[in-house]
């Protein structure tokens, strides 16, 4: 159904914000669930087959990034493609649950409730608690950035980062997702993944970011083979400024690659001959403690 200008103007963000306090959390969730389950209606750009309310909620959360930690209602709607009215209801409901926080200026940001949940993730917090003392030693010894990452599906996720001023610009923060083929951390995780996963992953179009340089599957396979042979990965980039990294795998008690660690620094400040033995030694120490912990 096409809305007339009069109908559209009757539901402004200001009007919706004024009406929203009267809606209870139960009513909000019920209304939103009913709205997305409508089978054929396309009002407000809704997908033809509807979309589960939980999926929409996660789309809102996915809209936030390091470069956009606070978003207005309109920005949330634009970034997710969710109609403004639905965005408002979801954002207010998530705010009441603590997943989002609404600021005095009307913008939204990620809420501390999610930090509580994230701290319970064994592959994040559990691994981090074991690795952190060793990462701090590596950070002090090298004077460079140190990162810890795990694989989630076809991406790596940074679960810890220790930074050093003057060691160059870091592209990924804690919680940030890194490409498996385009970062040293990712190459390690990909090198020790199952062959069938590698085959499926390498069927896609591959680019190195942020340069957006194409790379072939054969080139990546050669890198993966080198990582498995040497137990170390080297990666360099030119943008946003020249940088290089040295990375190594961490294994769990089953022998699977549980994580990867990296020392990252500005190009020219990272001496691989000095850093490599330190990265390998720290990775082995974390592996030992991870196995002793039963993980």
């Amino acid at each position: 159904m096409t809305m007339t200008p009069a109908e559209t103007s009757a539901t402004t963000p200001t009007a919706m914000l004024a009406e929203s306090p009267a809606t209870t959390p139960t009513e909000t969730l019920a209304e939103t669930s009913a709205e997305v389950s409508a089978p054929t209606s396309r009002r407000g750009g809704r997908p033809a087959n509807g979309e589960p309310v939980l999926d929409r909620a996660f789309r809102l959360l996915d809209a936030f990034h390091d470069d956009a930690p606070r978003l207005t209602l309109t920005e949330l709607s634009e970034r997710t493609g969710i109609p403004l009215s639905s965005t408002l209801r979801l954002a207010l409901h998530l705010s009441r649950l603590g997943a989002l926080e609404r600021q005095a200026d009307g913008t939204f940001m990620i809420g501390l409730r999610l930090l509580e949940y994230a701290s319970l993730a064994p592959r994040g917090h559990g691994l981090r608690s074991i690795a952190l003392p060793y990462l701090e030693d590596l950070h002090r010894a090298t004077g460079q950035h140190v990162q810890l990452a795990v694989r989630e599906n076809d991406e790596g996720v940074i679960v810890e980062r220790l930074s050093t001023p003057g060691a160059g610009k870091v592209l990924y923060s804690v919680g940030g997702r890194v490409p498996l083929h385009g970062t040293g951390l990712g190459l390690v995780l990909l090198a020790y993944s199952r062959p069938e996963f590698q085959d499926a992953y390498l069927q896609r179009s591959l680019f190195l970011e942020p340069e957006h340089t194409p790379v072939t599957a054969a080139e990546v396979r050669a890198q993966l083979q080198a990582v498995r042979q040497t137990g170390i990965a080297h990666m360099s980039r030119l943008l946003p400024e020249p940088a290089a990294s040295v990375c190594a795998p961490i294994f769990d008690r089953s022998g699977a690659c549980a994580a990867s660690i990296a020392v990252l620094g500005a190009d020219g400040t990272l001496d691989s001959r000095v850093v490599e033995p330190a990265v390998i030694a720290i990775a082995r120490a974390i592996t030992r403690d991870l196995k002793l912990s039963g993980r």
Side-chain angles (χ1 to χ4, degrees), residues 114-199:
L114 295 185
L115 181 60
E116 297 177 31
Y117 295 141
S119 68
L120 301 175
R123 289 206 303 143
H125 182 71
L127 171 65
R128 176 185 174 278
S129 64
I130 292 173
L132 188 56
Y134 295 106
L135 299 180
E136 291 173 338
D137 288 344
L138 187 60
H139 181 240
R140 285 192 293 266
T142 62
Q144 305 285 359
H145 304 299
V146 175
Q147 296 174 316
L148 175 70
V150 299
R151 181 169 73 85
E152 184 178 52
N153 300 323
D154 59 355
E155 296 176 301
V157 179
I158 305 294
V159 296
E160 185 55 88
R161 188 189 83 181
L162 303 177
S163 296
T164 299
K169 183 176 178 61
V170 181
L171 296 181
Y172 305 102
S173 300
V174 174
R177 295 178 176 270
V178 303
L180 297 181
H181 66 282
T183 60
L185 286 166
L187 282 175
V188 169
L189 296 171
L190 185 57
Y192 292 96
S193 63
R194 298 186 307 276
E196 56 269 27
F197 174 81
Q198 294 178 16
D199 292 341

Coordinates of all heavy atoms in Angstrom, one line a residue, residues 114-199:
L114 N 25.1 -5.9 27.2 CA 25.8 -6.8 26.2 C 27.2 -7.2 26.7 O 27.7 -8.2 26.4 CB 25.8 -6.2 24.8 CG 24.5 -5.9 24.2 CD1 24.6 -5.4 22.8 CD2 23.6 -7.2 24.2
L115 N 27.8 -6.2 27.4 CA 29.2 -6.5 27.9 C 29.1 -7.7 29.0 O 30.0 -8.5 29.0 CB 29.8 -5.3 28.6 CG 31.2 -5.4 29.1 CD1 32.2 -5.9 28.1 CD2 31.7 -4.2 29.8
E116 N 28.0 -7.7 29.8 CA 27.8 -8.7 30.7 C 27.7 -10.1 30.0 O 28.3 -11.1 30.5 CB 26.6 -8.5 31.6 CG 26.6 -7.2 32.4 CD 25.3 -7.0 33.1 OE1 24.6 -7.9 33.4 OE2 24.9 -5.8 33.3
Y117 N 26.9 -10.1 29.0 CA 26.8 -11.4 28.2 C 28.1 -11.8 27.6 O 28.5 -13.0 27.6 CB 25.7 -11.3 27.2 CG 24.3 -11.0 27.8 CD1 23.4 -10.2 27.2 CD2 23.9 -11.7 28.9 CE1 22.1 -10.0 27.7 CE2 22.6 -11.5 29.4 CZ 21.8 -10.7 28.8 OH 20.5 -10.5 29.3
A118 N 28.8 -10.8 27.0 CA 30.0 -11.1 26.3 C 31.1 -11.7 27.2 O 31.9 -12.6 26.8 CB 30.6 -9.9 25.6
S119 N 31.1 -11.3 28.5 CA 32.1 -11.8 29.4 C 31.9 -13.2 29.7 O 32.8 -13.9 30.3 CB 32.0 -10.9 30.7 OG 30.8 -11.2 31.4
L120 N 30.7 -13.8 29.4 CA 30.4 -15.2 29.7 C 30.9 -16.1 28.5 O 30.8 -17.3 28.6 CB 28.9 -15.4 29.9 CG 28.4 -14.6 31.1 CD1 26.8 -14.8 31.2 CD2 29.0 -15.0 32.4
A121 N 31.3 -15.5 27.4 CA 31.7 -16.3 26.2 C 33.0 -17.0 26.5 O 34.0 -16.4 26.6 CB 31.8 -15.5 25.0
P122 N 33.1 -18.4 26.5 CA 34.3 -19.1 26.8 C 35.4 -18.8 25.8 O 36.6 -18.6 26.2 CB 33.9 -20.6 26.8 CG 32.4 -20.6 27.1 CD 31.9 -19.3 26.4
R123 N 35.1 -18.7 24.6 CA 36.1 -18.5 23.6 C 36.6 -17.0 23.6 O 37.6 -16.7 23.0 CB 35.6 -18.8 22.2 CG 35.4 -20.3 21.9 CD 35.5 -20.6 20.5 NE 34.5 -19.9 19.7 CZ 34.8 -19.4 18.4 NH1 36.0 -19.6 17.9 NH2 33.9 -18.8 17.8
G124 N 35.9 -16.2 24.3 CA 36.4 -14.8 24.4 C 37.0 -14.5 25.7 O 38.2 -14.5 25.9
H125 N 36.2 -14.5 26.8 CA 36.6 -14.1 28.1 C 37.5 -15.2 28.7 O 38.6 -15.0 29.3 CB 35.5 -13.9 29.0 CG 35.9 -13.5 30.4 ND1 36.4 -12.2 30.7 CD2 35.8 -14.1 31.6 CE1 36.7 -12.2 31.9 NE2 36.4 -13.3 32.5
G126 N 37.1 -16.5 28.5 CA 37.9 -17.6 29.1 C 39.3 -17.7 28.5 O 40.3 -17.8 29.2
L127 N 39.4 -17.6 27.2 CA 40.7 -17.6 26.5 C 41.5 -16.3 26.9 O 42.7 -16.4 27.1 CB 40.4 -17.6 25.0 CG 41.7 -17.4 24.1 CD1 42.7 -18.5 24.3 CD2 41.2 -17.3 22.6
R128 N 40.8 -15.2 26.9 CA 41.5 -13.9 27.2 C 42.1 -14.0 28.6 O 43.2 -13.5 28.8 CB 40.4 -12.8 27.1 CG 41.0 -11.4 27.5 CD 39.9 -10.4 27.5 NE 40.4 -9.1 28.0 CZ 40.5 -8.8 29.3 NH1 40.1 -9.7 30.2 NH2 41.0 -7.6 29.7
S129 N 41.4 -14.5 29.6 CA 41.9 -14.6 30.9 C 43.2 -15.4 31.0 O 44.1 -15.1 31.8 CB 40.8 -15.1 31.9 OG 40.5 -16.4 31.6
I130 N 43.3 -16.4 30.2 CA 44.5 -17.3 30.2 C 45.6 -16.6 29.5 O 46.8 -16.6 29.9 CB 44.2 -18.6 29.6 CG1 43.3 -19.4 30.5 CG2 45.5 -19.4 29.3 CD1 42.8 -20.7 29.9
A131 N 45.3 -15.9 28.4 CA 46.3 -15.4 27.5 C 46.8 -14.0 27.9 O 47.9 -13.6 27.6 CB 45.7 -15.2 26.1
L132 N 46.0 -13.2 28.7 CA 46.3 -11.8 29.0 C 47.7 -11.6 29.6 O 48.4 -10.7 29.2 CB 45.2 -11.2 29.8 CG 45.3 -9.7 30.0 CD1 45.4 -8.9 28.7 CD2 44.1 -9.1 30.8
P133 N 48.0 -12.4 30.6 CA 49.4 -12.2 31.2 C 50.5 -12.3 30.2 O 51.5 -11.6 30.3 CB 49.4 -13.2 32.4 CG 48.0 -13.5 32.7 CD 47.3 -13.4 31.4
Y134 N 50.4 -13.3 29.3 CA 51.4 -13.5 28.3 C 51.4 -12.4 27.3 O 52.4 -12.0 26.8 CB 51.2 -14.9 27.7 CG 51.3 -16.1 28.6 CD1 50.2 -16.8 29.1 CD2 52.6 -16.5 29.0 CE1 50.4 -17.8 29.9 CE2 52.8 -17.5 29.9 CZ 51.6 -18.2 30.3 OH 51.8 -19.3 31.2
L135 N 50.2 -12.0 26.9 CA 50.1 -10.9 26.0 C 50.7 -9.6 26.5 O 51.4 -8.8 25.8 CB 48.6 -10.6 25.6 CG 47.8 -11.7 25.0 CD1 46.4 -11.3 24.7 CD2 48.5 -12.2 23.7
E136 N 50.5 -9.4 27.8 CA 51.2 -8.2 28.4 C 52.7 -8.3 28.4 O 53.4 -7.3 28.2 CB 50.6 -8.0 29.9 CG 49.2 -7.7 29.9 CD 48.6 -7.7 31.4 OE1 49.2 -8.4 32.2 OE2 47.6 -7.0 31.6
D137 N 53.2 -9.5 28.6 CA 54.7 -9.7 28.6 C 55.1 -9.4 27.1 O 56.2 -8.8 26.9 CB 55.0 -11.1 28.9 CG 54.9 -11.4 30.4 OD1 54.8 -10.4 31.2 OD2 54.8 -12.6 30.8
L138 N 54.4 -9.9 26.1 CA 54.8 -9.7 24.8 C 54.7 -8.2 24.4 O 55.6 -7.7 23.6 CB 53.9 -10.5 23.9 CG 54.2 -10.6 22.4 CD1 55.6 -11.2 22.1 CD2 53.2 -11.4 21.6
H139 N 53.7 -7.6 24.9 CA 53.5 -6.1 24.6 C 54.7 -5.3 25.2 O 55.2 -4.5 24.5 CB 52.2 -5.7 25.3 CG 51.9 -4.3 25.1 ND1 51.7 -3.4 26.1 CD2 51.7 -3.6 23.9 CE1 51.4 -2.2 25.6 NE2 51.4 -2.3 24.3
R140 N 55.1 -5.6 26.4 CA 56.2 -4.9 27.0 C 57.5 -5.2 26.3 O 58.4 -4.3 26.1 CB 56.3 -5.3 28.5 CG 55.2 -4.6 29.4 CD 55.6 -4.8 30.9 NE 55.5 -6.2 31.3 CZ 54.4 -6.8 31.8 NH1 53.3 -6.0 31.9 NH2 54.4 -8.0 32.1
A141 N 57.7 -6.5 25.9 CA 59.0 -6.9 25.3 C 59.2 -6.3 24.0 O 60.3 -5.9 23.6 CB 59.1 -8.4 25.3
T142 N 58.1 -6.2 23.2 CA 58.2 -5.7 21.8 C 58.0 -4.2 21.6 O 58.5 -3.6 20.7 CB 57.3 -6.5 20.9 OG1 55.9 -6.2 21.3 CG2 57.5 -8.0 20.9
G143 N 57.2 -3.7 22.5 CA 56.8 -2.2 22.4 C 55.9 -2.0 21.2 O 55.8 -0.9 20.7
Q144 N 55.2 -3.0 20.8 CA 54.3 -2.9 19.6 C 52.9 -3.3 20.0 O 52.6 -3.7 21.1 CB 54.8 -3.9 18.5 CG 56.2 -3.7 18.1 CD 56.4 -2.4 17.2 OE1 55.5 -1.7 16.9 NE2 57.7 -2.2 16.8
H145 N 51.9 -3.2 19.1 CA 50.6 -3.6 19.3 C 50.6 -5.1 19.4 O 51.3 -5.8 18.7 CB 49.7 -3.2 18.1 CG 49.6 -1.7 17.9 ND1 49.2 -0.8 18.8 CD2 50.0 -1.0 16.7 CE1 49.3 0.4 18.3 NE2 49.7 0.3 17.0
V146 N 49.7 -5.7 20.2 CA 49.5 -7.1 20.4 C 48.0 -7.4 20.3 O 47.2 -6.7 20.9 CB 50.1 -7.6 21.7 CG1 49.8 -9.1 21.9 CG2 51.6 -7.4 21.8
Q147 N 47.7 -8.4 19.5 CA 46.3 -8.8 19.3 C 46.0 -10.3 19.5 O 46.9 -11.1 19.2 CB 45.8 -8.4 17.9 CG 45.9 -6.9 17.6 CD 45.5 -6.5 16.2 OE1 46.0 -7.2 15.2 NE2 44.7 -5.5 15.9
L148 N 44.8 -10.6 19.9 CA 44.4 -12.0 20.0 C 43.1 -12.1 19.3 O 42.2 -11.3 19.5 CB 44.2 -12.3 21.5 CG 43.7 -13.7 21.9 CD1 44.7 -14.8 21.6 CD2 43.3 -13.8 23.4
A149 N 42.9 -13.2 18.5 CA 41.7 -13.4 17.7 C 41.3 -14.8 17.7 O 42.1 -15.7 17.8 CB 41.9 -12.9 16.2
V150 N 40.0 -15.0 17.5 CA 39.4 -16.4 17.3 C 38.6 -16.3 16.0 O 38.3 -15.3 15.5 CB 38.5 -16.8 18.5 CG1 39.3 -16.8 19.8 CG2 37.3 -15.8 18.6
R151 N 38.3 -17.5 15.5 CA 37.5 -17.6 14.2 C 36.0 -17.8 14.6 O 35.7 -18.6 15.4 CB 38.0 -18.7 13.3 CG 37.2 -18.8 12.0 CD 37.8 -19.7 11.0 NE 37.6 -21.1 11.4 CZ 36.6 -21.9 11.1 NH1 35.6 -21.4 10.4 NH2 36.6 -23.2 11.4
E152 N 35.2 -17.0 14.0 CA 33.8 -17.2 14.0 C 33.2 -17.3 12.6 O 33.2 -16.3 11.9 CB 33.0 -16.1 14.8 CG 31.6 -16.4 15.0 CD 30.8 -15.3 15.8 OE1 31.0 -14.1 15.4 OE2 30.1 -15.7 16.7
N153 N 32.8 -18.5 12.2 CA 32.4 -18.7 10.8 C 33.5 -18.3 9.8 O 34.5 -18.9 9.9 CB 31.0 -18.0 10.6 CG 29.9 -18.4 11.5 OD1 29.8 -19.6 11.8 ND2 29.1 -17.5 12.0
D154 N 33.2 -17.4 8.9 CA 34.2 -17.1 7.9 C 34.9 -15.7 8.2 O 35.4 -15.1 7.3 CB 33.6 -17.0 6.5 CG 32.5 -16.0 6.4 OD1 32.1 -15.4 7.5 OD2 31.9 -15.8 5.3
E155 N 35.0 -15.4 9.5 CA 35.7 -14.2 9.9 C 36.5 -14.4 11.2 O 36.3 -15.4 11.9 CB 34.8 -13.0 10.1 CG 34.0 -12.5 8.9 CD 33.0 -11.5 9.3 OE1 32.1 -11.7 10.1 OE2 33.1 -10.4 8.7
G156 N 37.5 -13.6 11.4 CA 38.2 -13.6 12.7 C 37.6 -12.5 13.6 O 37.1 -11.5 13.0
V157 N 37.6 -12.7 14.9 CA 37.1 -11.7 15.8 C 38.2 -11.4 16.8 O 38.7 -12.3 17.5 CB 35.8 -12.2 16.6 CG1 35.3 -11.2 17.5 CG2 34.7 -12.6 15.6
I158 N 38.5 -10.1 17.0 CA 39.5 -9.7 17.9 C 38.9 -9.7 19.3 O 37.9 -9.1 19.6 CB 40.0 -8.2 17.6 CG1 40.5 -8.0 16.2 CG2 41.0 -7.8 18.6 CD1 41.7 -8.8 15.9
V159 N 39.5 -10.5 20.2 CA 39.0 -10.6 21.6 C 39.9 -9.9 22.6 O 39.5 -9.7 23.7 CB 38.8 -12.1 22.0 CG1 37.8 -12.8 21.1 CG2 40.2 -12.8 21.9
E160 N 41.1 -9.5 22.2 CA 41.9 -8.6 23.0 C 42.9 -7.9 22.2 O 43.4 -8.4 21.1 CB 42.7 -9.5 24.0 CG 43.5 -8.7 25.0 CD 42.7 -7.7 25.8 OE1 42.1 -8.0 26.8 OE2 42.6 -6.5 25.3
R161 N 43.2 -6.7 22.6 CA 44.2 -5.8 21.9 C 44.9 -5.0 22.9 O 44.3 -4.3 23.7 CB 43.6 -5.0 20.8 CG 44.6 -4.2 20.0 CD 43.9 -3.2 19.1 NE 43.7 -1.9 19.8 CZ 43.1 -0.9 19.2 NH1 42.6 -0.9 18.0 NH2 42.9 0.2 19.9
L162 N 46.2 -5.0 22.9 CA 47.0 -4.1 23.7 C 47.8 -3.1 22.8 O 48.5 -3.6 21.9 CB 48.0 -4.9 24.6 CG 47.4 -5.9 25.5 CD1 48.5 -6.7 26.2 CD2 46.5 -5.3 26.5
S163 N 47.6 -1.9 22.9 CA 48.1 -0.9 22.0 C 49.3 -0.1 22.5 O 49.4 0.1 23.8 CB 47.0 0.1 21.5 OG 46.0 -0.6 20.8
T164 N 50.1 0.4 21.6 CA 51.3 1.2 22.0 C 51.3 2.5 21.1 O 51.2 2.4 19.9 CB 52.6 0.4 21.7 OG1 52.6 -0.7 22.5 CG2 53.8 1.3 22.0
P165 N 51.3 3.6 21.8 CA 51.4 4.9 21.0 C 52.6 4.9 20.1 O 53.7 4.5 20.5 CB 51.5 6.0 22.1 CG 50.9 5.3 23.3 CD 51.3 3.9 23.2
G166 N 52.5 5.3 18.9 CA 53.6 5.4 18.0 C 53.9 4.1 17.2 O 54.9 4.1 16.4
A167 N 53.2 3.1 17.5 CA 53.4 1.8 16.8 C 52.6 1.6 15.5 O 52.6 0.6 14.9 CB 53.1 0.6 17.8
G168 N 52.0 2.7 15.1 CA 51.2 2.7 13.9 C 49.7 2.6 14.1 O 49.3 2.3 15.2
K169 N 49.0 2.8 13.1 CA 47.5 2.8 13.2 C 47.0 1.4 13.1 O 47.4 0.6 12.3 CB 46.9 3.6 12.0 CG 45.4 3.7 12.0 CD 44.8 4.6 10.9 CE 43.3 4.6 10.9 NZ 42.8 5.2 12.2
V170 N 46.1 1.1 14.1 CA 45.4 -0.2 14.1 C 44.1 -0.2 13.5 O 43.3 0.7 13.9 CB 45.3 -0.7 15.6 CG1 44.7 -2.1 15.6 CG2 46.7 -0.8 16.2
L171 N 43.8 -1.1 12.6 CA 42.5 -1.0 11.9 C 41.3 -1.7 12.7 O 40.2 -1.4 12.4 CB 42.6 -1.7 10.5 CG 43.6 -1.0 9.5 CD1 43.6 -1.8 8.2 CD2 43.2 0.4 9.3
Y172 N 41.7 -2.6 13.6 CA 40.6 -3.4 14.2 C 40.7 -3.3 15.7 O 41.8 -3.5 16.3 CB 40.7 -4.9 13.8 CG 40.7 -5.1 12.3 CD1 41.9 -5.3 11.6 CD2 39.5 -5.0 11.6 CE1 41.9 -5.5 10.2 CE2 39.5 -5.2 10.2 CZ 40.7 -5.4 9.5 OH 40.7 -5.6 8.2
S173 N 39.6 -3.0 16.4 CA 39.5 -2.9 17.8 C 38.9 -4.2 18.4 O 38.5 -5.1 17.6 CB 38.5 -1.7 18.2 OG 39.0 -0.5 17.7
V174 N 38.8 -4.3 19.7 CA 38.3 -5.5 20.3 C 36.8 -5.6 19.9 O 36.0 -4.7 19.9 CB 38.3 -5.4 21.9 CG1 37.6 -6.5 22.5 CG2 39.8 -5.3 22.3
G175 N 36.5 -6.8 19.4 CA 35.1 -7.1 18.9 C 35.1 -6.9 17.4 O 34.1 -7.3 16.8
G176 N 36.1 -6.3 16.8 CA 36.2 -6.1 15.4 C 36.4 -7.4 14.6 O 37.0 -8.3 15.1
R177 N 35.9 -7.4 13.4 CA 36.0 -8.6 12.6 C 37.0 -8.4 11.5 O 37.0 -7.4 10.8 CB 34.6 -9.0 12.0 CG 33.6 -9.4 13.1 CD 32.2 -9.7 12.6 NE 31.4 -10.2 13.7 CZ 31.2 -11.4 14.1 NH1 31.9 -12.4 13.4 NH2 30.5 -11.8 15.1
V178 N 37.8 -9.4 11.3 CA 38.9 -9.3 10.3 C 38.8 -10.4 9.3 O 38.3 -11.5 9.6 CB 40.3 -9.5 11.0 CG1 40.4 -8.4 12.1 CG2 40.5 -10.9 11.6
P179 N 39.1 -10.1 8.0 CA 39.1 -11.1 7.0 C 40.1 -12.2 7.2 O 41.3 -11.9 7.6 CB 39.3 -10.3 5.7 CG 40.1 -9.1 6.2 CD 39.6 -8.8 7.5
L180 N 39.8 -13.4 6.9 CA 40.7 -14.5 7.1 C 41.9 -14.5 6.1 O 43.0 -15.0 6.5 CB 40.0 -15.9 7.0 CG 38.9 -16.1 8.1 CD1 38.3 -17.5 7.9 CD2 39.4 -15.9 9.5
H181 N 41.6 -14.0 4.9 CA 42.7 -14.1 3.9 C 43.5 -12.8 3.8 O 44.5 -12.8 3.2 CB 42.0 -14.3 2.5 CG 41.2 -13.2 2.1 ND1 39.9 -13.0 2.6 CD2 41.4 -12.1 1.2 CE1 39.4 -11.9 2.0 NE2 40.3 -11.4 1.2
G182 N 43.0 -11.7 4.5 CA 43.7 -10.4 4.3 C 44.4 -9.9 5.5 O 44.8 -8.7 5.6
T183 N 44.5 -10.7 6.6 CA 45.3 -10.3 7.8 C 46.1 -11.5 8.3 O 45.8 -12.6 8.0 CB 44.3 -9.9 8.9 OG1 43.5 -11.0 9.2 CG2 43.4 -8.7 8.6
G184 N 47.2 -11.2 9.0 CA 48.0 -12.2 9.5 C 47.3 -13.1 10.5 O 47.4 -14.3 10.5
L185 N 46.5 -12.5 11.4 CA 45.7 -13.2 12.3 C 44.7 -14.2 11.6 O 44.6 -15.3 11.9 CB 44.9 -12.3 13.2 CG 45.6 -11.5 14.3 CD1 44.7 -10.4 14.8 CD2 46.0 -12.4 15.4
G186 N 44.1 -13.7 10.5 CA 43.2 -14.5 9.8 C 43.8 -15.6 9.0 O 43.3 -16.7 8.9
L187 N 45.0 -15.3 8.4 CA 45.7 -16.4 7.7 C 46.0 -17.6 8.6 O 45.9 -18.7 8.2 CB 47.0 -15.8 7.1 CG 46.9 -15.0 5.8 CD1 48.2 -14.4 5.4 CD2 46.3 -15.9 4.7
V188 N 46.4 -17.3 9.8 CA 46.7 -18.4 10.8 C 45.4 -19.2 11.1 O 45.4 -20.4 11.0 CB 47.3 -17.8 12.1 CG1 47.3 -18.9 13.2 CG2 48.7 -17.2 11.9
L189 N 44.3 -18.5 11.3 CA 43.1 -19.2 11.6 C 42.6 -20.0 10.4 O 42.1 -21.1 10.6 CB 42.0 -18.2 12.0 CG 42.3 -17.4 13.3 CD1 41.2 -16.3 13.4 CD2 42.2 -18.3 14.5
L190 N 42.8 -19.5 9.2 CA 42.4 -20.2 8.0 C 43.3 -21.3 7.7 O 42.9 -22.4 7.3 CB 42.4 -19.2 6.8 CG 41.8 -19.7 5.5 CD1 40.4 -20.2 5.6 CD2 41.9 -18.6 4.4
A191 N 44.6 -21.2 8.0 CA 45.6 -22.2 7.6 C 45.3 -23.5 8.4 O 45.6 -24.6 7.9 CB 47.0 -21.7 7.9
Y192 N 44.8 -23.3 9.6 CA 44.6 -24.5 10.5 C 43.1 -24.9 10.6 O 42.7 -25.7 11.5 CB 45.2 -24.2 11.9 CG 46.7 -24.2 11.9 CD1 47.3 -22.9 11.9 CD2 47.5 -25.3 12.0 CE1 48.7 -22.8 11.9 CE2 48.8 -25.2 11.9 CZ 49.4 -24.0 11.9 OH 50.8 -23.9 11.9
S193 N 42.3 -24.4 9.7 CA 40.9 -24.8 9.6 C 40.8 -26.1 8.7 O 41.8 -26.5 8.1 CB 40.0 -23.7 9.0 OG 40.4 -23.4 7.7
R194 N 39.6 -26.7 8.7 CA 39.4 -27.9 7.9 C 39.6 -27.6 6.4 O 39.2 -26.6 5.9 CB 38.0 -28.5 8.2 CG 37.8 -28.9 9.6 CD 36.5 -29.6 9.8 NE 35.4 -28.8 9.2 CZ 34.8 -27.8 9.9 NH1 35.1 -27.5 11.1 NH2 33.8 -27.1 9.3
P195 N 40.1 -28.6 5.7 CA 40.3 -28.4 4.2 C 39.0 -28.0 3.5 O 39.0 -27.2 2.6 CB 40.9 -29.8 3.8 CG 41.5 -30.3 5.0 CD 40.7 -29.9 6.2
E196 N 37.9 -28.7 3.9 CA 36.6 -28.4 3.2 C 36.2 -26.9 3.5 O 35.6 -26.3 2.6 CB 35.5 -29.4 3.6 CG 35.3 -29.4 5.1 CD 36.1 -30.5 5.8 OE1 37.2 -30.8 5.4 OE2 35.6 -31.0 6.9
F197 N 36.5 -26.4 4.7 CA 36.2 -25.0 4.9 C 37.0 -24.1 4.1 O 36.6 -23.1 3.5 CB 36.4 -24.7 6.4 CG 36.2 -23.2 6.7 CD1 34.9 -22.7 6.9 CD2 37.3 -22.4 6.9 CE1 34.8 -21.3 7.2 CE2 37.1 -21.1 7.1 CZ 35.9 -20.5 7.3
Q198 N 38.3 -24.4 4.0 CA 39.2 -23.6 3.1 C 38.7 -23.6 1.7 O 38.7 -22.5 1.1 CB 40.6 -24.2 3.2 CG 41.3 -24.1 4.6 CD 42.7 -24.7 4.6 OE1 43.3 -24.9 3.6 NE2 43.2 -24.9 5.8
D199 N 38.4 -24.8 1.2 CA 37.9 -24.9 -0.2 C 36.7 -24.0 -0.4 O 36.6 -23.2 -1.4 CB 37.6 -26.3 -0.6 CG 38.8 -27.2 -0.6 OD1 39.9 -26.7 -0.7 OD2 38.7 -28.4 -0.5

